[in-house]
Amino acid sequence: MSAASDLDLGPGRFVWRLGDALSVRVDARAAVVTTVLVLAALATGVVALGLGDYTVPVPDVLGALAGTLDGPARTVVVGWRLPRVLLALLLGAALAVSGAIFQSLTRNPLGSPDVIGFASGSYTGGLVAIIVLGGGYTTVAAGSLAGGLATAAAVYLLAYRRGVQGFRLIVVGIGVTALLGSLNTWLVLAAELQQAMAASAWGAGSLNGVGWPQVGPTVGVLVVLVVALGLLGRRASVLEMGDDAAHALGLAPERTRAALVVVGVAFTAVATAVAGPISFVALAAPQLARRLTRAGGTGLASAAAMGALLLVVSDVLAQRAFAPTQLPVGVVTVSIGGAYLVWLLVREARRQ
Amino acid sequence: MTTTTSLAAARVTARGLTLGYGDRTVVTGLDLEVPEGELTVVVGPNACGKSTLLRALARLLRPSQGDVLLDGRSLRDFGSKELARTLGLLPQTSVAPSGITVADLVMRGRYPHQRIGRQLSREDAVAVARAMAATGVTALAPRLVEELSGGQRQRVWVAMVLAQETGTLLLDEPTTFLDITHQYDLLELLVDLHREGRTLVAVLHDLNQACRYGTHLVAMRDGAVVAQGAPADVVTPEMVREVFDLEAMVVPDPAVGTPMVVPLGRRR
């Protein structure tokens, strides 16, 4: 383990090497921030496991998780509440990673999937699956992914003019979001009452009613996506330097971008399939994480940790703020995210 | 109008190049030899196709006809990372990603040399340190690129291309957007890189800078090469008229003796 490098990478940044085969760049500040965010998210998760109509004290929650405590407390904590908390953590991270990918691709903090239409497209796909095909987790998941990808393809082609520029993509995406919004409304209005109610409940973005059956497939898909992203991650940072520079460095910009769009849409679609459209986590989490780490580049790990924390906190608020009334978590993230968006726009406006 | 340079082997050769964007053809049937170890400067009026030519030499633009050879091999036969280890390009406009440091940007020049599991090998660190020293930006390493002045930023981008460790460097209007001091500063840097044995091709706007710093000059007009050779041989009042539609005198540069173009204008 050595930091043998003559380069001054800035305070707290160094290279960790293991022989000649492995070298990893370490940013101490980013590592600390990410660790703290992960711990905070996990701690919130533990607290969330104890909250509800049947309150379980924290030591008992830990006992139930460790398997040293049996009885009704274990059933409530592990059987009922754990899948929801796990999904909040995982989906929050997935949404944030998706946001980080698209913000990197568009080189713009506004370029997240919920702003540029991909989340709406996932929702449209899911709606069609519920209304036309009758629903079911796998069908809705497949519908969300197909809808997201179709929207991504449409936005991409509409914005294409000898390659795709970030700003064009955002403007076209906002237009497509508006179109899809009215399509979604029409789909719900045109559907049978029962299906329309199911679709509306899902459409607000909610973790109410999720359980263990959704955890397995979600984890499986996320593992595949994380591996794919691991292979693409460094290319994303080269692509950020602009198409000409990326090309000159030996990267095929269009192909890389297309691959990143597919992976990014898939991260959003996973979340949409389980919980419906949850807005603003993808928009806000990567930027908030960046403010804390003060690091450049894509910062996927810190963004994921921030997303997990945001969604798990939002879900606790959604369940407890107006208890016994249960709010959809999407309502909470929209409120938090709306405040963030106003701040972001004011700040950008002031800068210009 | 092709002058054969038999002194040095050609590093990059273009044969019968026809280039364009969509239906618009910019360059037709162009032949060019970039001699090894020279600092070749491409000049010509706006929209004469000089940047388009450079993009084709770097394989950023696929020729509709003809071929570009690098060390005798068609560019089409190079793998993308292999080409990036042989030929470097400084694009005309380059915007650094926000929030990244100088060291971070220069390190990205190592991409074509890297493999999974090695984010910065010892060779990478040495190449990055050498590139930053050559361009005089070592002290700026931990600074944010967006906080630098235009001149410093351009040096950092040159360092990024140098970290690629290619024998041949293409630079598309590297002095644009720089004030005059930083323009000469950058040109002197190109001379240093040339003296170290690299083959350089730069597109420049200023004919006098091209005469002073280029060792091989290529003058273009309307997508064709009008003259090429050593500046002292090719820069004449006739050539300036033919390429730029400008009446001018050509006198020896009082500082270094290379040809200097003095436009006559209408106020004679």
Side-chain angles (χ1 to χ4, degrees):
Chain A
M1 181 168 164
S2 76
S5 150
D6 306 323
L7 299 170
D8 183 2
L9 303 179
R13 293 179 188 177
F14 57 92
V15 178
W16 181 81
R17 289 202 180 86
L18 193 69
D20 276 338
L22 190 73
S23 54
V24 181
R25 280 166 54 195
V26 183
D27 181 334
R29 187 182 173 100
V32 168
V33 166
T34 307
T35 310
V36 169
L37 288 173
V38 167
L39 291 178
L42 291 178
T44 311
V46 168
V47 171
L49 287 174
L51 292 178
D53 296 335
Y54 182 94
T55 311
V56 183
V58 170
D60 289 0
V61 170
L62 294 174
L65 288 177
T68 53
L69 184 86
D70 263 328
R74 183 171 159 81
T75 310
V76 168
V77 168
V78 177
W80 300 352
R81 291 181 189 157
L82 185 57
R84 178 175 189 150
V85 168
L86 278 179
L87 284 169
L89 292 168
L90 290 173
L91 299 184
L95 287 168
V97 166
S98 181
I101 292 173
F102 285 110
Q103 285 168 353
S104 163
L105 279 176
T106 57
R107 299 174 57 141
N108 193 313
L110 281 174
S112 84
D114 33 11
V115 176
I116 57 181
F118 303 168
S120 301
S122 282
Y123 179 45
T124 308
L127 273 183
V128 170
I130 290 179
I131 292 167
V132 180
L133 305 170
Y137 173 76
T138 321
T139 321
V140 175
S144 299
L145 184 60
L149 286 176
T151 311
V155 170
Y156 204 78
L157 289 176
L158 287 170
Y160 193 91
R161 186 171 289 176
R162 249 189 257 143
V164 171
Q165 281 181 322
F167 191 68
R168 273 182 81 81
L169 198 75
I170 293 173
V171 174
V172 171
I174 290 173
V176 170
T177 307
L179 277 173
L180 287 171
S182 49
L183 176 64
N184 293 342
T185 310
W186 176 77
L187 279 172
V188 173
L189 286 176
E192 301 283 327
L193 182 62
Q194 208 168 357
Q195 288 168 336
M197 281 170 68
S200 303
W202 178 71
S206 173
L207 289 165
N208 296 338
V210 297
W212 281 111
Q214 284 103 324
V215 175
T218 306
V219 170
V221 174
L222 284 179
V223 167
V224 173
L225 290 178
V226 166
V227 171
L229 190 60
L231 298 173
L232 285 170
R234 239 158 39 86
R235 295 184 201 184
S237 66
V238 174
L239 197 61
E240 276 189 334
M241 299 171 63
D243 281 15
D244 284 358
H247 205 130
L249 287 170
L251 191 83
E254 289 301 326
R255 222 185 311 153
T256 308
R257 201 177 353 250
L260 282 166
V261 166
V262 170
V263 172
V265 167
F267 269 110
T268 291
V270 168
T272 309
V274 175
I278 298 174
S279 297
F280 287 113
V281 174
L283 178 75
Q287 295 298 317
L288 293 175
R290 258 181 105 142
R291 298 255 133 64
L292 293 177
T293 60
R294 291 192 205 141
T298 39
L300 292 169
S302 53
M306 178 58 94
L309 177 63
L310 275 185
L311 195 57
V312 81
V313 168
S314 299
D315 195 41
V316 170
L317 289 176
Q319 289 181 76
R320 307 312 316 162
F322 297 99
T325 309
Q326 302 275 296
L327 292 178
V329 68
V331 172
V332 178
T333 58
V334 165
S335 312
I336 297 176
Y340 165 76
L341 189 64
V342 168
W343 175 81
L344 181 71
L345 290 174
V346 167
R347 194 169 148 276
E348 291 290 311
R350 232 180 249 157
R351 216 198 250 174
Q352 277 157 19
Chain B
M1 290 295 275
T2 320
T3 339
T4 40
T5 329
S6 49
L7 295 171
R11 195 78 212 265
V12 185
T13 315
R15 281 196 197 141
L17 268 194
T18 298
L19 307 170
Y21 304 96
D23 294 336
R24 198 165 57 92
T25 303
V26 181
V27 169
T28 320
L30 179 140
D31 292 312
L32 179 78
E33 290 192 347
V34 173
E36 169 136 37
E38 301 282 333
L39 201 176
T40 299
V41 176
V42 184
V43 292
N46 290 338
C48 71
K50 51 193 194 297
S51 286
T52 306
L53 171 65
L54 206 71
R55 293 178 70 82
L57 298 186
R59 208 172 69 175
L60 253 58
L61 183 67
R62 190 187 291 268
S64 43
Q65 272 171 47
D67 204 359
V68 178
L69 308 179
L70 175 61
D71 297 329
R73 239 174 99 199
S74 169
L75 282 193
R76 287 169 230 246
D77 300 337
F78 279 81
S80 44
K81 280 195 171 182
E82 183 193 13
L83 182 62
R85 288 191 296 262
T86 320
L87 187 88
L89 169 80
L90 181 69
Q92 190 170 0
T93 45
S94 36
V95 185
S98 68
I100 87 166
T101 62
V102 169
D104 206 350
L105 185 76
V106 178
M107 272 182 229
R108 292 184 186 193
R110 295 302 294 168
Y111 176 74
H113 296 271
Q114 287 172 326
R115 274 176 288 164
I116 282 182
R118 297 190 193 175
Q119 294 188 338
L120 194 77
S121 69
R122 287 195 177 81
E123 296 97 87
D124 291 335
V126 169
V128 169
R130 204 184 290 149
M132 291 204 292
T135 47
V137 297
T138 308
L140 303 176
R143 300 261 307 269
L144 288 180
V145 177
E146 62 219 39
E147 289 171 355
L148 303 179
S149 73
Q152 289 172 326
R153 211 177 298 155
Q154 192 66 319
R155 278 179 164 265
V156 170
W157 278 93
V158 174
M160 191 281 289
V161 181
L162 281 184
Q164 236 174 299
E165 294 195 310
T166 59
T168 306
L169 282 184
L170 310 179
L171 304 103
D172 196 356
E173 304 197 6
T175 53
T176 318
F177 309 122
L178 299 183
D179 61 38
I180 190 155
T181 317
H182 288 109
Q183 286 183 20
Y184 279 91
D185 195 44
L186 192 85
L187 290 164
E188 299 280 347
L189 172 62
L190 297 190
V191 169
D192 292 342
L193 300 177
H194 166 238
R195 289 216 178 105
E196 287 165 15
R198 290 185 188 81
T199 303
L200 287 98
V201 183
V203 170
L204 292 182
H205 257 303
D206 187 311
L207 194 51
N208 285 330
Q209 290 177 346
C211 291
R212 183 184 284 196
Y213 292 100
T215 61
H216 185 83
L217 192 81
V218 175
M220 286 181 70
R221 177 169 185 171
D222 299 332
V225 174
V226 177
Q228 58 177 314
D233 300 336
V234 297
V235 180
T236 58
E238 293 73 36
M239 178 277 224
V240 176
R241 187 185 311 128
E242 196 182 345
V243 174
F244 292 96
D245 280 332
L246 182 74
E247 294 299 327
M249 283 163 57
V250 175
V251 296
D253 186 324
V256 288
T258 52
M260 187 168 86
V261 177
V262 183
L264 296 174
R266 275 172 298 180
R267 296 194 186 182
R268 267 175 287 173

